[in-house]
Amino acid sequence: MTQFLQALLSGLLLGGFYGVMVLGFSVLWGVMGIINLAHGDFLMTGAYLAWLMFRTFNLDPFISLVLILPLMFVVGYALQKILLNRLIERPRLATLLVTFGLSISLANLHKILYTADPRNVPVAYNGSIELWGISVPIVKAIVFFIALGMMSLLHLLLQRTRLGKAIRAAAQNKNAAKIVGIDIDRVYAITAGICIALTAGAGAAISPTQAIFPFMGQPFTLKAFTITVLGGLGRIPGALLGGMVLGITEVMVATYVPGIGTNFGVALSLILLVVILIVRPQGLSSGLRPMNEDRS
Amino acid sequence: MKLHKNSKKQTEKKSFLKKWGGLILWILLLGFLALYPYTKVSGIQLFSATQVFMLVTLASNWNLIGGMTGYIDFGHTVFFGVGAYMMGILVTQAPLAFAPRLSFWQALPIAGLVALLLAVSLGWVTLRLKGSYFSIAMLGTFAATREIVRILRPLTGGGAGLDLPPVLNRLGEYYFMLAVMAIVVSSIWWIRRSDFGLSLLAIREDEIGAEMRGINTTLHKLVALAIAAFFTGITGAFWAWQNTYIDPDVVFLESRTVEMVMTSMLGGLGTVWGPPLGAVVLYSIQNIVWSNLLNYHLLALGILLIFLVLFMPEGILGKLGDRSSISAIRLIQRWQKRR
């Protein structure tokens, strides 16, 4: 029983992290229709930034989040203005190829900058506390609450502000949004900025809990895709729910199926994706735009 | 319908040279390559030529599903890897009690067929959908298969890999790969002109329209992927034999997928002669320019891919050739009009 509860807790904590990790991917897809294959690599960039600040200034990763978020917002804004804007009207083929190229470039750029050696951020409080016989890892719990906070903030931004209204309008119908006077390029650039910042922030947040290396990104891209299909495009509760499903399944399999260990995550999310596609080919919920929309 | 605007041009009879010129040049080139080992060449030169043939074969296969059908496959290396591992397992181990160890020629078709089966079972799920599911599912399959191969230690040797019996025969390897390349490129030339190939192009340009004209799109996509996977599996099996050592990291190499994509893009997406041309150009660039900067190789490839898509999506053939004769051009012109 204790083992089960322990696994459930680990799954929940992991799921919360997945929920915030997926937001950038999901909103970018929902608003602009861009499937960002470089998603995991932006997460890796965030983790490396946190490591860099920890090493040079001895800055705690959760404090350096305050610096990383605005920095990566600017990066995302510029990326949209320079690169992604050229892709919006093109078929998915071009988008996929460019983001794939971006992914490879980013991963190998980091390999050149920091070598392929795995790095870690050993924070002082990287232990766990006992609660009713279950050990709660402190860092992962902090990540979980930060994730919930970020999700609530994004939810408020999208639902309660004029900017959020503009973003949702741009997602629903671009031309109609233009007609009512929304500066679509600016809205897109801000959205991309938010998405990239969130992704890098998620990377920075988990930097104390796992090894950081240049090619760590790809599994996250794949998991993000599965979770988005599970939870709907740009739907924040859906992202959280999908993240929980994947997180708990992953931990349960690692706990109860012998001989597999924790490195089975990608295969598991792939199996989950295939099952969803067989059962409900149109995706579970639509969110900001219909999932099966074909732009080419 | 956009297709009807050009219908007059299409029904005009193409000149003899336009229709057969490429094939004649190709046969001449094959003839020359078949005689090439009789000139004074070193083993290294034969080996490099074999590598180029392999790149042409892989890229042509990728081009069939990625270029002609328009379903970008980011995990095509998985078929290569499955072929390589089937060869490794069948040659070095006796996985079933009653089955003896096989020889190269016995294992080769099995490796191809297993890759084909994997493609069919995957495609059956992911190719029914439009959109990008296929691309991501293939990327996932690639990463997942690498994990699974690591976990199945008794069969695949896990991270330690498998050693195949070393048989060094550069000349035999050269002719084998030349034959595979000749078969693959010639079949793609034939496919491109057949009803089947035209249906694939129709799927790429307007999938809903193609479906309405009575094309069974799912079946067509599935067959295209199956053909591509079969020959990729064969190539992978051959590579395992040639390399005499396989482990998950050298077989499931992401840069192999990148090279397939790049070769097709560089030569001309969806064209028959694009991948052979692109392979020669890419191989030359890699050997002349980047051989000193090995670290920057993939970074440069990634940046080059972005620039190609943005500024030269029609590839070298599209830039050089008669624009109307290359089908991909119409698609690209449509992109440009929209911008």
Side-chain angles (χ1 to χ4, degrees):
Chain A
M1 191 60 196
T2 318
Q3 194 192 16
F4 177 76
L5 284 179
Q6 179 73 59
L8 194 66
L9 179 79
S10 308
L12 281 176
L13 294 183
L14 190 63
F17 162 69
Y18 280 163
V20 74
M21 178 274 282
V22 80
L23 284 182
F25 184 83
S26 163
V27 171
L28 206 63
W29 188 0
V31 174
M32 284 178 248
I34 288 178
I35 295 181
N36 182 12
L37 291 180
H39 177 76
D41 299 278
F42 283 110
L43 190 133
M44 177 267 301
T45 310
Y48 262 110
L49 282 177
W51 170 76
L52 207 62
M53 291 195 187
F54 184 80
R55 205 193 55 171
T56 44
F57 307 116
N58 205 11
L59 212 59
D60 188 278
F62 295 112
I63 297 171
S64 60
L65 214 56
V66 183
L67 296 171
I68 290 170
L69 286 178
L71 178 70
M72 291 306 283
F73 178 84
V74 174
V75 170
Y77 195 95
L79 188 78
Q80 171 67 26
K81 285 277 182 198
I82 296 166
L83 193 62
L84 298 182
N85 240 347
R86 297 166 186 272
L87 296 172
I88 298 229
E89 292 301 315
R90 291 196 182 185
R92 59 169 190 274
L93 199 124
T95 323
L96 286 173
L97 284 170
V98 165
T99 52
F100 186 62
L102 197 63
S103 158
I104 291 157
S105 315
L106 267 177
N108 285 284
L109 181 70
H110 281 79
K111 189 186 151 204
I112 293 165
L113 287 177
Y114 306 115
T115 76
D117 299 337
R119 314 281 184 185
N120 45 16
V121 180
V123 287
Y125 45 89
N126 198 355
S128 54
I129 44 172
E130 290 273 323
L131 276 180
W132 304 291
I134 302 167
S135 75
V136 183
I138 297 172
V139 176
K140 285 184 179 168
I142 299 176
V143 172
F144 180 78
F145 285 113
I146 288 183
L148 286 188
M150 278 184 179
M151 271 183 256
S152 320
L153 279 180
L154 187 67
H155 188 75
L156 285 180
L157 176 78
L158 282 179
Q159 301 296 334
R160 293 273 190 273
T161 63
R162 276 182 74 82
L163 176 66
K165 219 175 192 175
I167 291 174
R168 281 184 293 139
Q172 277 164 11
N173 191 329
K174 190 183 156 190
N175 289 329
K178 264 185 193 162
I179 289 168
V180 297
I182 293 171
D183 182 352
I184 208 102
D185 279 354
R186 193 168 148 270
V187 168
Y188 275 177
I190 290 175
T191 313
I194 293 172
C195 290
I196 302 294
L198 271 176
T199 311
I206 53 148
S207 60
T209 62
Q210 84 160 76
I212 303 161
F213 55 98
F215 302 102
M216 68 190 269
Q218 203 188 43
F220 288 109
T221 311
L222 301 169
K223 286 173 188 172
F225 188 82
T226 305
I227 296 170
T228 308
V229 173
L230 260 172
L233 301 184
R235 277 181 77 238
I236 294 166
L240 185 61
L241 201 69
M244 291 288 178
V245 169
L246 185 63
I248 291 173
T249 326
E250 210 174 282
V251 176
M252 287 296 170
V253 167
T255 315
Y256 287 106
V257 184
I260 280 186
T262 50
N263 285 327
F264 202 55
V266 173
L268 201 68
S269 62
L270 182 77
I271 294 166
L272 209 57
L273 178 68
V274 167
V275 170
I276 302 165
L277 294 185
I278 290 173
V279 179
R280 267 185 76 87
Q282 67 273 43
L284 291 185
S285 54
S286 54
L288 286 174
R289 66 162 75 195
M291 184 143 335
N292 208 2
E293 186 184 9
D294 194 13
R295 287 184 304 130
S296 65
Chain B
M1 288 285 290
K2 287 260 162 59
L3 284 171
H4 283 270
K5 234 165 59 184
N6 294 335
S7 60
K8 211 175 179 184
K9 238 187 227 169
Q10 279 170 0
T11 48
E12 273 173 25
K13 262 208 157 163
K14 281 183 182 171
S15 68
F16 176 79
L17 205 65
K18 235 184 205 172
K19 201 169 170 186
W20 299 102
L23 191 71
I24 293 169
L25 257 178
W26 173 241
I27 291 171
L28 285 177
L29 183 70
L30 284 181
F32 168 74
L33 288 173
L35 295 174
Y36 179 61
Y38 292 100
T39 60
K40 278 183 186 165
V41 285
S42 61
I44 293 290
Q45 278 166 322
L46 277 185
F47 180 74
S48 329
T50 314
Q51 296 305 108
V52 177
F53 297 163
M54 196 179 286
L55 191 55
V56 172
T57 312
L58 291 176
S60 293
N61 279 320
W62 186 88
N63 195 29
L64 182 62
I65 183 74
M68 287 194 185
T69 323
Y71 274 71
I72 301 287
D73 182 350
F74 286 123
H76 207 68
T77 307
V78 76
F79 302 123
F80 182 93
V82 166
Y85 259 96
M86 280 318 291
M87 174 60 85
I89 291 167
L90 290 173
V91 166
T92 60
Q93 295 176 318
L96 301 168
F98 54 87
R101 290 180 187 178
L102 300 179
S103 71
F104 174 76
W105 292 108
Q106 288 167 323
L108 194 67
I110 301 180
L113 284 176
V114 170
L116 188 146
L117 277 180
L118 177 69
V120 169
S121 50
L122 268 171
W124 180 74
V125 179
T126 52
L127 284 176
R128 285 186 302 170
L129 303 158
K130 296 174 195 68
S132 313
Y133 290 91
F134 173 71
S135 301
I136 310 260
M138 286 310 297
L139 196 61
T141 311
F142 170 70
T145 313
R146 188 166 48 186
E147 281 179 4
I148 291 168
V149 164
R150 275 217 187 87
I151 290 171
L152 288 176
R153 189 172 285 275
L155 199 61
T156 61
L162 291 172
D163 286 305
L164 280 81
V167 183
L168 265 182
N169 179 4
R170 292 264 182 261
L171 197 65
E173 286 165 3
Y174 177 88
Y175 278 117
F176 177 83
M177 214 52 233
L178 181 65
V180 173
M181 175 180 78
I183 294 170
V184 166
V185 177
S186 310
S187 344
I188 285 177
W189 177 83
W190 180 76
I191 286 174
R192 171 70 183 77
R193 299 164 50 82
S194 67
D195 277 359
F196 174 67
L198 290 176
S199 306
L200 292 185
L201 293 184
I203 289 171
R204 184 188 66 190
E205 301 207 1
D206 183 353
E207 185 153 356
I208 296 165
E211 219 167 300
M212 284 175 177
R213 294 290 292 266
I215 296 172
N216 184 346
T217 51
T218 309
L219 186 70
H220 277 75
K221 290 182 274 185
L222 205 57
V223 172
L225 181 67
I227 297 171
F230 178 77
F231 284 111
T232 311
I234 295 267
T235 314
F238 166 75
W239 185 86
W241 185 260
Q242 185 194 31
N243 199 49
T244 72
Y245 170 73
I246 48 174
D247 73 26
D249 288 325
V250 296
V251 171
F252 294 96
L253 208 58
E254 200 173 24
S255 62
R256 203 164 275 130
T257 313
V258 185
E259 276 171 3
M260 289 182 217
V261 179
M262 274 303 302
T263 308
S264 304
M265 283 296 297
L266 202 61
L269 207 59
T271 61
V272 179
W273 310 116
L277 184 69
V280 173
V281 173
L282 191 68
Y283 196 82
S284 319
I285 295 176
Q286 280 179 352
N287 274 291
I288 297 163
V289 186
W290 295 334
S291 55
N292 307 324
L293 310 160
L294 212 59
N295 256 334
Y296 297 85
H297 175 186
L298 272 174
L299 175 65
L301 268 187
I303 293 172
L304 190 60
L305 181 60
I306 296 173
F307 272 85
L308 268 179
V309 178
L310 287 181
F311 302 113
M312 206 173 91
E314 69 271 41
I316 297 172
L317 270 186
K319 269 267 184 275
L320 293 178
D322 176 9
R323 297 176 72 89
S324 65
S325 71
I326 295 168
S327 66
I329 302 303
R330 278 201 300 281
L331 184 73
I332 289 146
Q333 280 169 345
R334 248 165 53 202
W335 300 359
Q336 283 166 349
K337 236 179 249 166
R338 273 200 214 162
R339 274 179 68 196

